[in-house]
């Protein structure tokens, strides 16, 4: 094999490796000769736009034709700015593939100029970010749904950092139960919402819930901002938020239930006392 054949073989291998890499990353490259208006697309860019490689002649007008109306003005403005102001351009745009499906693409381009400063060629890349953007949208929707449930829940909800036991978030219900604003609660820790005499037991329960040994802490004494005490059943579970281990607690105020049970016990005691001291058999 002579030097020319070897160079051609090496070039062919390089082209094949580049094509594979572009297919894996869903990135295509393009080149636009401004003087002749000749456009070049890589094989992957054909696929991104919804065509088979070299199925059609690459055309700048086709790109504009398939551009989503909401993206066209921004795209043209970016191109015009790069040509006139000697700067690269970068933007996301929505595009209709050949089959009519919508894609979300990210492009970066650079203008090359001659010795007089006139633009002669523009080159760039296009990456298909459709699935990534859809995934981010699903995450945002899930977060919005969680936030809605979090805020509208009738039970109080507190999220505490597992290491420091400080609160990182609170919903409206727990704020109303404790008499604090959300900003005030996020400056507090577990120790601040329970009576001091109960703290050793509360800390032990926190660790057991964190390790998964127990989930329910029944009739836990709670300390309001005004110093009054009420009781709550606390269901808790360990979660990871933003890379941090946390404990999420669900608080159900059982004060009324506890009062009813106490009244019932008092009534039963009264009846038992009445029966034991009655002068006649009953």
């Amino acid at each position: 094999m002579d030097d020319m054949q070897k160079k051609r073989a090496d070039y062919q291998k390089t082209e094949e490796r580049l094509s594979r890499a572009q297919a894996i990353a869903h990135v295509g490259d393009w080149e636009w000769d401004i003087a002749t208006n000749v456009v070049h697309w890589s094989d992957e860019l054909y696929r991104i736009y919804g065509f088979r490689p070299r199925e059609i002649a690459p055309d700048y007008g086709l790109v504009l034709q398939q551009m989503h109306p909401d993206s066209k003005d921004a795209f043209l403005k970016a191109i015009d700015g790069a040509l006139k102001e000697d700067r690269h351009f970068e933007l996301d745009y929505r595009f209709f593939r050949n089959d009519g499906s919508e894609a979300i693409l990210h492009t970066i381009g650079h203008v090359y100029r001659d010795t007089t400063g006139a633009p002669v060629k523009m080159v760039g890349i296009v990456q298909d970010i459709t699935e990534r953007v859809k995934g981010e949208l699903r995450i945002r929707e899930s977060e919005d749904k969680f936030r809605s449930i979090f805020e509208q829940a009738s039970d109080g909800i507190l999220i505490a950092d597992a290491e420091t036991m400080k609160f990182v978030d609170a919903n409206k219900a727990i704020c109303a139960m404790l008499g604090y604003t959300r900003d005030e609660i996020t400056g507090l820790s577990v120790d601040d919402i329970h009576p001091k005499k109960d703290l050793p037991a509360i800390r032990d329960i926190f660790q057991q819930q964190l390790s998964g040994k127990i989930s329910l802490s029944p009739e836990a004494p709670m300390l309001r901002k005004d110093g009054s005490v009420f009781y709550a059943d606390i269901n808790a579970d360990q979660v990871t938020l933003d890379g941090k281990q946390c404990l999420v607690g669900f608080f159900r105020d059982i004060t009324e239930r506890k009062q009813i049970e106490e009244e019932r016990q008092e009534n039963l005691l009264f009846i038992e006392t009445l029966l034991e001291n009655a002068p006649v058999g009953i």
Side-chain angles (χ1 to χ4, degrees):
M1 181 183 293
D2 59 28
D3 288 344
M4 183 60 68
Q5 289 177 320
K6 185 176 184 304
K7 288 180 180 179
R8 287 175 179 172
D10 290 343
Y11 177 79
Q12 182 68 28
K13 289 180 181 178
T14 300
E15 286 289 298
E16 290 174 356
R17 285 197 296 268
L18 177 61
S19 181
R20 287 196 299 269
Q22 289 194 355
I24 292 170
H26 298 296
V27 174
D29 70 272
W30 53 268
E31 182 176 310
W32 174 32
D33 189 304
I34 298 171
T36 63
N37 202 32
V38 173
V39 179
H40 166 79
W41 292 349
S42 68
D43 287 355
E44 185 60 20
L45 188 53
Y46 277 98
R47 298 187 190 101
I48 289 172
Y49 283 155
F51 299 96
R52 295 188 304 275
R54 289 169 293 283
E55 177 182 352
I56 61 169
D59 183 77
Y60 176 65
L62 174 65
V63 174
L64 293 179
Q65 178 183 321
Q66 298 297 110
M67 188 84 59
H68 192 286
D70 292 346
S71 297
K72 187 175 293 185
D73 287 346
F75 187 86
L76 289 172
K77 185 177 180 180
I79 293 285
D80 188 60
L83 292 173
K84 291 180 177 179
E85 301 175 19
D86 192 18
R87 57 181 172 83
H88 81 283
F89 75 97
E90 180 174 359
L91 80 159
D92 296 343
Y93 62 98
R94 295 159 64 191
F95 185 89
F96 293 109
R97 295 189 181 97
N98 187 39
D99 62 4
S101 61
E102 185 178 326
I104 303 171
L105 309 177
H106 178 76
T107 187
I108 302 174
H110 181 76
V111 177
Y112 288 89
R113 301 176 183 276
D114 61 18
T115 55
T116 67
V120 293
K121 183 167 56 177
M122 181 179 287
V123 299
I125 62 168
V126 173
Q127 183 176 22
D128 188 344
I129 59 171
T130 308
E131 293 306 315
R132 189 190 78 192
V133 172
K134 287 182 177 178
E136 292 172 350
L137 180 60
R138 285 193 293 268
I139 291 173
R140 285 197 299 270
E141 288 174 346
S142 296
E143 290 175 345
D144 291 343
K145 187 179 294 184
F146 168 78
R147 176 58 61 179
S148 178
I149 295 171
F150 182 79
E151 289 298 342
Q152 296 176 19
S154 57
D155 287 347
I157 305 176
L158 280 172
I159 303 176
D161 185 290
E163 184 177 353
T164 64
M165 297 176 69
K166 289 184 177 180
F167 300 122
V168 296
D169 207 349
N171 73 343
K172 293 178 181 178
I174 196 65
C175 291
M177 285 182 194
L178 295 172
Y180 292 100
T181 65
R182 176 181 277 109
D183 288 342
E184 288 175 327
I185 287 182
T186 53
L188 302 178
S189 71
V190 171
D191 287 359
D192 297 309
I193 64 166
H194 299 281
K196 287 186 179 180
K197 64 182 181 63
D198 298 299
L199 289 181
I202 293 295
R203 290 172 185 150
D204 181 61
I205 290 170
F206 183 92
Q207 294 302 324
Q208 290 189 62
Q209 289 176 323
L210 189 62
S211 64
K213 292 180 180 178
I214 63 171
S215 59
L216 176 63
S217 173
E219 300 187 7
M222 307 293 299
L223 183 65
R224 295 189 181 96
K225 182 180 180 180
D226 63 9
S228 60
V229 174
F230 70 100
Y231 293 86
D233 287 345
I234 308 174
N235 270 292
D237 200 1
Q238 185 268 333
V239 297
T240 301
L241 298 175
D242 296 328
K244 287 187 177 182
Q245 189 181 20
C246 297
L247 190 68
V248 179
F250 299 84
F251 297 73
R252 178 162 296 180
D253 189 339
I254 61 164
T255 304
E256 185 176 348
R257 188 187 79 193
K258 192 173 178 64
Q259 288 174 346
I260 292 172
E261 290 175 353
E262 289 175 352
E263 290 174 1
R264 178 174 174 273
Q265 291 298 323
E266 290 175 359
N267 289 337
L268 287 174
L269 180 61
F270 173 76
I271 292 172
E272 289 175 359
T273 303
L274 180 64
L275 292 174
E276 289 176 359
N277 294 283
V280 294
I282 300 178

